[in-house]
Every structure is written in C-alpha cells, then in structure tokens.
Amino acid sequence: MSPSSATRHRAVWAVPLGLTGLVLVLLLAVGGWFLLGPDSDTRTSAADRAEQLARFAPEQNPHAGRFYVPVEGRSAGHTACLRYRINGGQDSSVKDFRRTYGIEGPGRVGAAIPRAVADGLTSHVPAHADLAFTDIDEGVRRDVYVVYNGEGEGSATESGARVYVHAEKP
C-alpha cells in the first residue's frame, strides 16, 4: 500500500466515524432537552387538561384560596372526567369541595354514574353514587358524583369519599 492510498483509506473511515459521533451527540442533546428542557415543568398533563376543561384548575378558582388535586383525569374533545379522593375531616370534606368549586344546589340521592365517566377513567368507577350535583360554570356543565367511603354523610366532619366529575362544554 502506498502512502497516499493509506491516507485515503484512513480518510474514508474518518468521515463515517465523525458523522456517527455527531449524530449520537445530537440525539443525546435532543433527548436531554425533552427530558430536562426548560419547559418540562410547564407541560400540561392529562389531569391538568381535564381540570382546565371542567373549570376546576386552581387559577380558575382564585377565590377559593385552596384546591383539590385529582387522582386521575382525562379529556377528549369537549369532555373531561376527573376523580378526586377526599380524606374526610374538617379540612377535606365534600362540603369543602363544593364550596371550593362553587357547586351549588341540592344533591340527588342514589344517582347513577353515567357510563361515560367509567369510559373516561382507567380506575374502577362504581355504577351508583350516594349523592350527585349538577352545575354550569361559564358554559361548562359539571356533573359531580360522590361515593362515600363509610358513614358520615351530612356530619360536620364528613367521612372520606371518592368524587367523580364529568364535564362537558357544548
């Protein structure tokens, strides 16, 4: 092999190795940006989008001074489904939940939970609720279903409950 052919041989290998290294560095940079990018904390989750549509997001209820965090939430089109866990007690009750989100009016006892709620959430959703409330907030119809964990309905420190929300914006 002549010196010029050896140099040419090395040059042929240098281009693919350099290009491979460059592609690898770019892939790592893009992957790191997606995982650790400056807006990673500001990306909305499925529950955040569902809260926004249902008008349950904290910034939509600044008067409340507090908010409940959904255990699960999903939205599709103009429909949102949310599930909340209320621990019970003076600071976390169905009464406080209703006050926080301005859900007024009398409750219906023994209401059926629509199939759309079960279809919208991945967790088990019972067929019936102990109480149900319906309201309209800025054009969004919100149906709220309460399933108590035990005795305590109506007491000052209500028992824990699971709250299911089905919201639709026409």
Side-chain angles (χ1 to χ4, degrees), residues 10 26 43 50 65 67 76 83 87 90 102 113 134-135 145 153:
R10 271 186 253 141
L26 285 173
R43 289 188 203 125
F67 60 92
R83 179 172 63 97
N87 296 328
Q90 291 179 342
I113 299 175
T134 298
D135 77 343
Y145 302 93
E153 177 184 348

Side-chain angles (χ1 to χ4, degrees), residues 40-116:
S40 63
D41 290 338
T42 61
R43 289 188 203 125
T44 57
S45 69
D48 293 335
R49 286 188 298 275
E51 273 187 308
Q52 288 286 329
L53 196 148
R55 307 230 6 101
F56 276 50
E59 64 273 8
Q60 293 169 320
N61 297 281
H63 66 279
R66 60 184 289 140
F67 60 92
Y68 287 79
V69 178
V71 174
E72 179 182 11
R74 303 216 187 254
S75 63
H78 298 288
T79 303
C81 294
L82 293 155
R83 179 172 63 97
Y84 292 87
R85 182 180 305 127
I86 295 178
N87 296 328
Q90 291 179 342
D91 292 335
S92 176
S93 67
V94 173
K95 182 178 179 181
D96 181 63
F97 185 90
R98 289 181 63 197
R99 183 198 58 76
T100 298
Y101 297 112
I103 301 166
E104 301 289 329
R108 299 181 313 275
V109 177
I113 299 175
R115 181 79 188 149

